[in-house]
Amino acid sequence: MQSVLEAVEQYRHDLEKAAQVLRHRGKALAEDAPKMIEDTKSRIEPKTQELVNTVQDTSNVSPAEKPIVNVFGWSTVLVFFANLSMLLGIYFVGPVLSLVFGKFGAFLMGAIWIPLGAHFDIKSQTTASDRIIRMRVLSGALLQGMVMGYVIDRLYLSYIPYAVITPAVIAITFAQAAKFADGDRKKLLGGTIGTAITVNFIWGMISGSLSFVYLLLMLTYAGIAAVIMQLCLNKLKGTEDEREHLYQNALSCSFVIAKVMFFLMFGSYHSDVEAQKHD
């Protein structure tokens, strides 16, 4: 009995000591929190303002053709394989992932950790060749696609645009649009982003897919591409630059996240075919 009392007393002493340590840490954190928040804010605000200024920029520009075509050309490949790997996530990998974490955890992984991981991986590849970096970005796109496929498993959303059309059209039309625009940024954006919207719209009409969700997702893809285009026009100067890969990763990841968000917001657990059978 004495040994039990001694053990209880020891545990009580340890718990009191741990509680005291936690109180000190909590107090220190409370004192440091305002400074940490202010430091974070001071680091984020300039970047945010720079992005806003870049997106709103309408000044004339002399675009570097090759790097921008590279960005949207390889982004087309990334988007294609990311969407293809979504099918793997839905039909094959999903059951395995469900043993590891839930769909909310998978969404956080696919929407935050994988894109950020790929971003910092690109920045760390200071001596790697262009081909190696592109393959690493592709592997990240495949991983994100599989994880996000698991997230939207059992959800149905008919009549959505093919994500790959937007970057593909921009890559194909950029050179001609740049010649036509002759430095006019608005004309250049209209000739590339506008053409992508037009092609998506025509395809929707031909396939009978036009719907509110189709149009909204089509414009979302176009908006993402426009932001990336503005960044490319302002930042890429014709020399080999790691930002090409950063923008490729950003566009591909953003397209996947946008598609998944639309599935979560507008998707249902019954396909249109099943719904028609019940009507």
Side-chain angles (χ1 to χ4, degrees), residues 32-45:
D32 294 341
K35 184 177 182 299
M36 292 170 61
I37 293 172
E38 191 62 33
D39 290 344
T40 303
K41 185 178 178 181
S42 64
R43 287 196 298 268
I44 292 176
E45 279 186 347

Side-chain angles (χ1 to χ4, degrees), residues 42-171:
S42 64
R43 287 196 298 268
I44 292 176
E45 279 186 347
K47 296 287 186 181
T48 304
Q49 189 58 47
E50 182 183 1
L51 179 60
V52 171
N53 292 338
T54 298
V55 172
Q56 294 178 343
D57 191 0
T58 58
S59 62
N60 286 354
V61 64
S62 299
E65 181 180 321
K66 184 179 178 181
I68 296 178
V69 172
N70 286 342
V71 167
F72 286 93
W74 189 247
S75 293
T76 302
V77 176
L78 295 176
V79 170
F80 174 78
F81 280 102
N83 279 270
L84 196 63
S85 66
M86 276 188 176
L87 299 177
L88 295 177
I90 293 172
Y91 296 109
F92 301 105
V93 183
V96 178
L97 291 177
S98 64
L99 301 175
V100 182
F101 41 59
K103 291 193 175 184
F104 180 71
F107 176 78
L108 292 179
M109 182 179 178
I112 299 175
W113 299 119
I114 293 176
L116 284 178
H119 176 86
F120 289 114
D121 182 57
I122 293 168
K123 293 182 75 69
S124 68
Q125 302 297 318
T126 54
T127 58
S129 67
D130 176 74
R131 183 184 64 82
I132 290 176
I133 298 176
R134 281 191 285 109
M135 290 301 106
R136 293 178 74 92
V137 178
L138 177 59
S139 64
L142 291 170
L143 179 60
Q144 185 194 31
M146 284 188 286
V147 171
M148 289 304 216
Y150 163 58
V151 172
I152 62 174
D153 182 23
R154 302 182 188 279
L155 282 174
Y156 296 92
L157 183 60
S158 302
Y159 311 127
I160 59 174
Y162 290 112
V164 74
I165 290 177
T166 298
V169 170
I170 293 172

Side-chain angles (χ1 to χ4, degrees), residues 187-227:
K187 288 183 179 179
L188 180 56
L189 290 170
T192 52
I193 308 299
T195 302
I197 292 174
T198 302
V199 172
N200 271 302
F201 186 83
I202 293 173
W203 174 252
M205 290 181 61
I206 293 173
S207 62
S209 303
L210 283 182
S211 65
F212 170 75
V213 173
Y214 183 100
L215 294 173
L216 191 58
L217 184 53
M218 175 188 75
L219 293 176
T220 301
Y221 287 155
I224 294 169
V227 172

